[in-house]
Amino acid sequence: LFFYGSLVLCLNNPNQQNNIFSGLQNGNFNRILPILMLYIFFFALIVIALWPLVLASYDMWQNGQTQMDPAQAELLIGKTFVHFTWLLPIGIYLSWMTQFAIPLATIGCLSGKDSIILGSKAVFTNLGAIFINALCFVLVMFIVMFVCMIPTLILGVVFASNETLIMLAFIPISALMMTMYLSLMSANMLHAYRDIFGAAEAATTK
């Protein structure tokens, strides 16, 4: 989240002296921290939901079993699925809310609480536009992954006889994909922020 904040600041005004640590500076750390706490709470809910399944798998491994009892497995998977029917919407909400909250906290210099409130309002009043935006983002990422798969397949054929070289060759490709993902996500955040809050911001600065 702090890295997203840094990239958003860099993309918003390239002429300013922003860097990858800008999301931690000038009060941005304190403003982004409440958003981070929401994510920590959400991941804690995921751990709680998955804990019975993890515990059963650990007991099975400790007892030297290779397969779980079918009835027990069905019961645990069913309970886990029920949990994810409400965890998934929360995760989608957090992702969409963050698109607005991070720029509001860094560019708009709003407190974490106000950024979350305004970000949430923006999500629920622009659901259609955000859904289309999410589909477009997924499509772009699919194209990026497809393009990156080409050199991956080529390297896999060239170094087929040496697994170590294959792993080493995949490191820069993975780093490139991650960099592109983070950059596209940050640009998407900035676009969403400008699209929803840009007019209001321009009106207040006149």
Side-chain angles (χ1 to χ4, degrees), residues 59-167:
D59 289 339
M60 183 181 69
W61 171 79
Q62 197 173 31
N63 295 329
Q65 299 177 351
T66 57
Q67 281 188 327
M68 189 180 296
D69 180 67
Q72 183 186 13
E74 184 177 352
L75 180 63
L76 288 172
I77 293 173
K79 288 183 177 180
T80 304
F81 177 78
V82 170
H83 286 307
F84 274 90
T85 57
W86 57 269
L87 283 172
L88 182 60
I90 295 176
I92 294 174
Y93 153 74
L94 279 177
S95 176
W96 288 356
M97 181 271 294
T98 303
Q99 290 189 36
F100 301 109
I102 293 294
L104 284 168
T106 53
I107 301 173
C109 295
L110 297 180
S111 67
K113 177 184 175 182
D114 291 338
S115 299
I116 292 170
I117 293 173
L118 283 178
S120 300
K121 289 181 179 178
V123 168
F124 292 115
T125 55
N126 298 276
L127 281 175
I130 293 175
F131 181 72
I132 294 174
N133 176 274
L135 288 179
C136 293
F137 181 78
V138 170
L139 178 62
V140 170
M141 285 306 305
F142 177 79
I143 295 172
V144 170
M145 290 179 64
F146 180 77
V147 172
C148 290
M149 280 179 61
I150 297 174
T152 301
L153 293 174
I154 294 174
L155 290 172
V157 173
V158 173
F159 301 118
S161 59
N162 195 319
E163 294 183 0
T164 303
L165 286 177
I166 292 177
M167 293 179 62

